[in-house]
Amino acid sequence: MRKKGFTLIELIISMAIIAILAAILVPNISSYIKKANNEKAKDIAAIVFSNSMRSYMKDGKFQREDVLNNINEDLNIKDNEVDVASLYDSEITVDFKVSKLEYEVKIDGEQSRYDFKQK
């Protein structure tokens, strides 16, 4: 009578094939996740810029609390995830996090432009 089941060789070959496929897929998946987080950070930077400019257009200068309120209102970001530092009345720097990575947006109110970079 013949026993049903797999031999040790069949199991080892199956596990080797699964390990090879995993070694191929994991780096691809992690690069897609990194790209997605970078795109998300770019979108957040654009929203931060528009909300900061909304504050700037009201008073002709950046008000730290007003900028924070505008950002939190639109993005629902926790206070510890966003830091606003005012350099001058017409320039402001906003730091924020996306998936444990830190990003910085420098906004120039007079020129209506911003620079975005990962820290």
Side-chain angles (χ1 to χ4, degrees):
M1 183 148 111
R2 191 164 184 202
K3 292 183 180 180
K4 294 182 180 181
F6 298 104
T7 65
L8 183 59
I9 301 266
E10 291 171 332
L11 289 174
I12 291 173
I13 290 172
S14 299
M15 290 174 62
I17 291 171
I18 291 171
I20 290 169
L21 290 173
I24 293 170
L25 291 176
V26 168
N28 289 339
I29 291 171
S30 64
S31 70
Y32 290 134
I33 291 171
K34 186 176 180 179
K35 286 179 187 176
N37 286 336
N38 209 13
E39 290 300 316
K40 181 179 179 181
K42 286 179 185 177
D43 291 342
I44 290 174
I47 292 170
V48 164
F49 170 69
S50 65
N51 286 330
S52 299
M53 287 305 292
R54 186 171 61 183
S55 168
Y56 183 78
M57 293 300 176
K58 267 197 277 186
D59 300 327
K61 62 182 179 177
F62 290 112
Q63 299 287 340
R64 184 180 186 281
E65 292 302 317
D66 197 23
V67 170
L68 269 174
N69 289 338
N70 287 342
I71 292 169
N72 288 331
E73 184 179 300
D74 283 356
L75 294 176
N76 286 333
I77 294 178
K78 298 175 196 161
D79 287 337
N80 62 351
E81 293 179 358
V82 176
D83 184 35
V84 176
S86 183
L87 302 174
Y88 305 102
D89 286 344
S90 64
E91 293 180 15
I92 195 166
T93 301
V94 180
D95 297 329
F96 63 93
K97 291 181 183 179
V98 173
S99 299
K100 298 180 183 177
L101 295 175
E102 293 185 19
Y103 295 89
E104 177 182 84
V105 180
K106 288 187 179 181
I107 303 167
D108 184 350
E110 290 179 356
Q111 301 292 323
S112 295
R113 66 179 179 87
Y114 70 99
D115 294 320
F116 164 74
K117 70 177 182 177
Q118 182 178 347
K119 283 182 135 183

